[in-house]
Amino acid sequence: MDAFVLIGSFMLLMVLGVPIAFSLGLAALVGALYIDIPLDAVMIQIASGVNKFSLLAIPFFVLAGAIMAEGGMARRLVAFAGVLIGFVRGGLSLVNILASTFFGAISGSSVADTASVGSVLIPEMERKGYPRDFATAVTVSGSVQAILIPPSHNAVLYSLAAGGTVSIAALFMAGVLPGLLMGLTLAVLCLYKAKKHGYPKGEVIPLKQALKICGEAMWGLMTMVIILGGILSGVFTANESASIAVVWAFFVTMFIYRDYKWSDLPKLMHRTVKTVTIVMILIGFAAAFGYIMTLMMIPLRVTSFLTALSDNKYVILALINVLLIVLGTLMDMSPLILILTPILLPVVKMMGVDPVHFGMIMMVNLGIGLITPPVGTVLFVGSAIAKLKIGVVSKALMPFFVALFVVLLMVTYLPWLSLWLPRTLGL
């Protein structure tokens, strides 16, 4: 009954239109009153939930991504991708995916990826003869890579939700191969569709112009080297790499590219603070919600229920995948990570699944949810940029969903994809 009160009040508040973060906080209060826990304990959990040093990485990565997205870096990365693969048939669709790979490795945000790459490439692809719905589908599906490729904000949230027991650096490295696999799978699909529908072939860029494009893009690509190189070499931590990324992004944008106006910086900072504030409120209330769940022994009950269904870890992982896919279509990614990780992680650990591997399974599942109606944030952004209805884009996404589900199965049942690189690097 206590679990019904907690979960039921949370669902009721969401149905009434209360924002997810506040639904979590109010449901935690209702649950605390029901099991007669002092409300002071809930307040303490909210405060301690955001009072974690590792969380400093989130605002810095968000700010770095915002500076790069608005400072001309996305446009230069698109041009650089065009130099590499834009000359083949269907080349612009491949450029779109590769640009998402580059930008995702810098911003760590699928929404920022879609907004930045999509605003450049969706109109360009349409102008070159690609259907607008196909261009939008390529953009939003390609941006899911940013969930996996470091530096992923959601990897930081997963580490936090796991109680800080999972290394952020290990999660960053675990996402490299699955992220690249996702990009490769989508690229193969685009090549097939380009051949089938006769999409245009790009032009070879002259050497002099190509060298100029590459030179400009290198400044942005250096951000990846700074973030990953610094962490792997031990020169600085994930938090320190995020702050250095901000300084580098600011330097490149304002003093190298010089496309961004100084007068626009206060507005950018204001938007970043609003985004970070929302995330921190969510983290604090989710911590209180998780605390009440623990007192009600909900994770233990879920573990007992799932293990009673089967003692085969592959069956359990399949059931969890179905659960995550369904919930990912109904809720945003961040709250689901914070809510479900404390519940599901004990289950998979009992089955012998590595927590880092399970983190990648969650990322792929919930990343697919970001482009799936009715609550697909990235899908909404892509549709808004393309000025298309959600249903039109969703229909164009169908073959891309198939490709993403293939990647999900591979990440789920081939753990070495996630674990080889962090173990090789001793993380």
Side-chain angles (χ1 to χ4, degrees), residues 86-87 202-207:
F87 53 86
E203 299 176 357
V204 177
I205 298 176
L207 179 60

Side-chain angles (χ1 to χ4, degrees), residues 9-26:
S9 59
F10 171 63
M11 298 301 295
L12 177 61
L13 288 164
M14 285 215 308
V15 170
L16 293 174
V18 179
I20 292 177
F22 295 105
S23 295
L24 285 170
L26 292 171

Side-chain angles (χ1 to χ4, degrees), residues 100-166:
S100 290
T101 306
F102 290 147
F103 195 77
I106 293 173
S107 71
S109 168
S110 289
V111 173
D113 192 328
T114 298
S116 303
V117 175
S119 60
V120 176
L121 273 176
I122 291 176
E124 180 65 14
M125 287 180 70
E126 186 179 18
R127 190 175 68 84
K128 293 290 186 180
Y130 295 81
R132 194 192 308 180
D133 59 346
F134 172 75
T136 309
V138 173
T139 303
V140 297
S141 60
S143 69
V144 178
Q145 295 174 91
I147 299 298
L148 298 168
I149 296 174
S152 169
H153 309 159
N154 293 287
V156 179
L157 289 181
Y158 174 77
S159 175
L160 169 71
T165 58
V166 185

Side-chain angles (χ1 to χ4, degrees), residues 312-322 348 353 357-358 361 412-413:
N312 187 315
K313 73 175 181 180
Y314 300 110
V315 174
I316 296 296
L317 287 175
L319 293 173
I320 289 175
N321 277 342
V322 173
V348 297
V353 177
H357 175 212
F358 183 64
I361 295 173
T412 301
Y413 296 114

Side-chain angles (χ1 to χ4, degrees), residues 4 26 47 72 94 132 155 262 266:
F4 175 78
L26 292 171
L94 301 184
R132 194 192 308 180
W262 287 87

Side-chain angles (χ1 to χ4, degrees), residues 254 260-267:
M254 305 309 295
Y260 201 70
K261 297 179 181 178
W262 287 87
S263 59
D264 290 335
L265 277 176
K267 296 178 183 178

Side-chain angles (χ1 to χ4, degrees), residues 215-232:
E216 290 185 347
M218 285 303 115
W219 292 99
L221 294 173
M222 275 297 295
T223 311
M224 291 188 290
V225 178
I226 291 171
I227 294 172
L228 298 182
I231 294 174
L232 295 178

